Amino acid sequence: MSSQTDIEALARTMGYSAAQMRRRFRHHFGMSPGAYRDRLRLEKAARLLTHTSRHISQIAGICGYRNHSAFSRAFQRHYEQTPRRFRQTLRVSLQRQHHTVGVFPYDIRELPPRKTVLTRLYHPERVRDDLRDWLRHSPGAELLPARIDQGTPLAIFHDRPLAGALPRLDLGVQLKNDGDSLALPPAFRTLHLPAQRHACLRLHDTSQLDAAMLYMACRGVSGDGIPISGDPPLLLQHTEALELHIPLR
């Protein structure tokens, strides 16, 4: 499907013309839908280059580029260095930090498929220790079904452990009964998380979040730990503690 067709389909879903959709999108994000899509593709590629050993041509395909050359040109325009040089620079930096970052105990678990209900926040404020309190103040949260309160609050970070130019976070709950059919307000959506192996770390509070992610990233490239996948980390709020889940390869 072409990007033109994608925009027209999105516009129809939201009740706009394609031209209105482009104007509103540019007003909100400061760029066209096509430029936004390309930025996200390149940021995903940067995470895969840093945290995995996938071949560059394979990363190009995963991120939506038809060939290695087109990907390399786009990547170099955005990051001002080739994908290969970017990978070398970031991995060397993480290896050097390996023995200087704090240590976080963790265990590895194979987590089953899960169903979540989420809303997206752009340029979010500092992450609160009480995710449920934060969710209650999200636009449209007052319209959520009452049984949502029975789920486990969670946040999904799309610009970590490698920061992106478009900070965004998905905030919501992991449902206890994934068979539930829910009527959701427009700002919320259902997302099914696949079964995947994770490194699970207990945190005292959200001030430890970035340090814990950096610790696992450094271990992954140093050879002392299991490489992370580059997929978005999740923070879950249990009754007794916050738990960080970092997807592994």
Side-chain angles (χ1 to χ4, degrees), residues 31-183:
M31 65 184 77
S32 69
Y36 181 90
R37 176 205 59 204
D38 292 342
R39 182 75 62 84
L40 295 187
R41 284 178 173 176
L42 290 170
E43 289 183 357
K44 179 176 181 178
R47 288 191 290 273
L48 292 174
L49 286 165
T50 302
H51 302 296
T52 79
S53 57
R54 292 180 186 271
H55 193 276
I56 292 174
S57 60
Q58 187 181 12
I59 291 175
I62 291 171
C63 296
Y65 290 88
R66 294 184 178 180
N67 57 66
H68 183 291
S69 298
F71 167 64
S72 294
R73 287 194 299 270
F75 194 92
Q76 190 157 2
R77 280 196 303 270
H78 182 65
Y79 286 101
E80 300 183 344
Q81 52 187 319
T82 65
R84 189 176 305 278
R85 181 61 178 167
F86 180 92
R87 166 176 269 169
Q88 292 171 343
T89 301
L90 267 292
R91 290 178 73 85
V92 167
S93 175
L94 288 172
Q95 288 167 358
R96 288 175 176 170
Q97 295 180 74
H98 174 47
H99 295 294
T100 65
V101 297
V103 175
F104 290 83
Y106 67 94
D107 63 286
I108 296 173
R109 300 179 212 156
E110 184 74 37
L111 298 179
R114 289 146 294 155
K115 181 178 178 181
T116 64
V117 170
L118 302 166
T119 188
R120 175 150 301 179
L121 305 180
Y122 291 93
H123 298 283
E125 60 183 274
R126 184 188 68 81
V127 182
R128 301 181 186 180
D129 291 329
D130 186 343
L131 298 182
R132 194 178 298 280
D133 180 63
W134 198 5
L135 179 62
R136 289 193 183 103
H137 290 86
S138 298
E142 69 280 2
L143 301 176
L144 286 169
R147 63 181 181 275
I148 286 290
D149 279 341
Q150 300 171 11
T152 302
L154 84 161
I156 303 178
F157 300 91
H158 294 274
D159 60 338
R160 299 181 187 184
L162 185 64
L166 299 166
R168 59 203 186 284
L169 174 148
D170 287 337
L171 181 68
V173 295
Q174 177 177 296
L175 301 180
K176 291 184 177 181
N177 182 357
D178 62 9
D180 284 347
S181 178
L182 299 171

Side-chain angles (χ1 to χ4, degrees), residues 17-29 31 33:
S17 69
Q20 287 176 316
M21 184 70 202
R22 288 190 180 88
R23 284 197 299 271
R24 287 176 176 271
F25 196 99
R26 186 178 291 276
H27 174 75
H28 189 75
F29 293 104
M31 65 184 77

